[in-house]
């Protein structure tokens, strides 16, 4: 398996990341998951804009510019020979002495991998997580942070309760998103999604649906699931119908016309 690590294409078996890397010891870093279609990264400017916003918030150096990252992705995809896949970019602050305060002379680690696409289309049965909640007051709720433990806890709970996925509430008891996806509800002819202020991650497909399909941000509660005609989960890897929550059907309990309309948009 060919990977890209700190400026070089190498075989994964040859890769070395320092045991003192803060991405490993503290989760001090960010990632982006980017869909590869026809050998090209989809919506790359949006992904890089989100990454740039994240590094600014964390005061995390980004050692490569847009052109260098674009060229590196093209080289990796070409070397891997994967035209339909998913690219993961992982950026950590790099090594540092023990302690929480980042070093002033941080030398970041940047890793990119690519794998065949796992198309996410199957219907989803979810639970509302009880084990954890999204902290909508934390700026980390808006970042693709290397610390994904809330999502891991929620997904473990879903598996234990016989579900595919978990919906996360925020501290106020409103819906934020699922463990790995944006939530949309179709209610009375309106397509609604939780606002960023309620703990939703600024997803790439989320932004496109807001811009192109008349979706709106609105606070949503678990009670709104019972009023919804249709529910959809979206991320960079797919759009999926959410057909049941806590054992109760959402709408008809099947994929609906809103999802069909979104799937018909080739630019999503």
């Amino acid at each position: 398996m060919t990977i890209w690590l700190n400026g070089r294409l190498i075989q994964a078996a040859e890769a070395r990341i320092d045991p003192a890397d803060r991405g490993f010891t503290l989760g001090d870093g960010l990632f982006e998951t980017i869909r590869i279609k026809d050998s090209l990264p989809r919506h790359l400017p949006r992904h890089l804009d989100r990454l740039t916003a994240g590094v600014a918030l964390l005061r995390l150096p980004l050692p490569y510019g847009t052109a260098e990252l674009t060229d590196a992705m093209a080289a990796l995809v070409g070397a891997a020979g994967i035209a339909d896949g998913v690219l993961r970019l992982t950026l950590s602050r790099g090594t540092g002495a023990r302690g929480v305060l980042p070093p002033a002379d941080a030398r970041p680690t940047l890793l990119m991998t690519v794998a065949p696409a796992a198309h996410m289309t199957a219907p989803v049965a979810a639970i509302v997580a009880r084990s954890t909640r999204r902290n909508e007051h934390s700026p980390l709720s808006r970042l693709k942070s290397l610390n994904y433990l809330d999502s891991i806890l929620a997904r473990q709970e879903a598996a234990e309760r016989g579900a595919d996925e978990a919906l996360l509430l925020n501290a106020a008891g409103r819906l934020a998103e699922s463990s790995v996806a944006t939530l949309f509800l179709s209610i009375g002819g309106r397509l609604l999604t939780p606002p960023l202020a309620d703990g939703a991650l600024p997803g790439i497909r989320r932004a496109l649906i807001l811009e192109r399909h008349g979706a709106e941000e609105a606070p949503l509660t678990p009670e709104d699931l019972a009023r919804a005609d249709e529910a959809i989960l979206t991320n960079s890897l797919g759009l999926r119908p959410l057909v049941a929550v806590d054992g109760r059907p959402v709408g008809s309990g099947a994929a609906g016309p809103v999802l069909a309309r979104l799937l018909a948009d080739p630019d999503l």
Side-chain angles (χ1 to χ4, degrees), residues 103-128:
D105 58 345
R107 298 181 62 187
T109 299
L110 201 152
L111 167 69
M112 290 191 287
T113 61
V114 66
H119 296 287
M120 300 175 67
T121 58
V124 177
I127 51 103
V128 175

Side-chain angles (χ1 to χ4, degrees), residues 11-249:
Q11 291 301 302
E14 302 169 16
R16 181 183 184 278
I17 295 177
D18 196 301
D21 191 288
R22 289 170 61 95
F24 173 71
T25 61
L26 295 171
D28 187 0
L30 301 167
F31 74 97
E32 288 288 329
T33 302
I34 304 170
R35 177 84 162 83
I36 302 297
K37 187 175 181 180
D38 299 327
S39 299
L40 297 173
R42 298 270 287 161
H43 310 302
L44 182 58
R46 292 175 183 262
H47 283 283
L48 294 181
D49 284 349
R50 183 169 65 184
L51 179 66
T52 299
V55 299
L57 178 63
L58 296 181
R59 304 174 206 172
L60 173 61
L62 182 59
Y64 303 96
T66 296
E68 292 170 297
L69 289 174
T70 302
D71 289 346
M73 290 179 192
L76 175 59
V77 170
I82 295 175
D84 182 17
V86 54
L87 184 147
R88 158 116 179 192
L89 181 155
T90 304
L91 173 68
S92 86
R93 201 179 300 266
T95 59
R98 284 182 54 83
V100 172
L101 185 67
D105 58 345
R107 298 181 62 187
T109 299
L110 201 152
L111 167 69
M112 290 191 287
T113 61
V114 66
H119 296 287
M120 300 175 67
T121 58
V124 177
I127 51 103
V128 175
R130 302 167 185 157
S131 55
T132 187
R133 291 195 175 198
R134 179 76 74 204
N135 180 2
E136 73 272 25
H137 303 295
S138 171
L140 298 183
S141 69
R142 297 185 290 279
L143 299 183
K144 297 277 283 186
S145 159
L146 294 186
N147 182 344
Y148 242 52
L149 290 175
D150 279 325
S151 291
I152 291 170
L153 283 173
R155 185 60 74 85
Q156 286 177 319
E157 180 186 347
E160 290 164 0
R161 294 170 57 188
D164 310 306
E165 176 60 296
L167 302 181
L168 288 163
L169 303 179
N170 66 14
R174 293 189 294 272
L175 291 163
E177 58 182 8
S178 85
S179 71
V180 295
T182 298
L183 172 67
F184 284 92
L185 298 183
S186 177
I187 300 176
R190 300 169 67 200
L191 186 57
L192 307 175
T193 192
L196 301 184
D198 275 357
L201 180 80
I204 304 303
R205 267 210 172 101
R206 176 185 185 276
L208 289 165
I209 293 170
L210 286 167
E211 293 167 15
R212 297 171 58 83
H213 291 275
E216 308 168 53
E217 291 186 321
L220 297 171
T221 68
E223 290 72 28
D224 289 316
L225 294 164
R227 301 194 302 118
D229 304 306
E230 190 175 346
I232 301 166
L233 297 176
T234 75
N235 60 22
S236 292
L237 301 184
L239 297 93
R240 306 177 72 184
L242 175 61
V243 297
V245 178
D246 287 337
R248 293 183 292 273

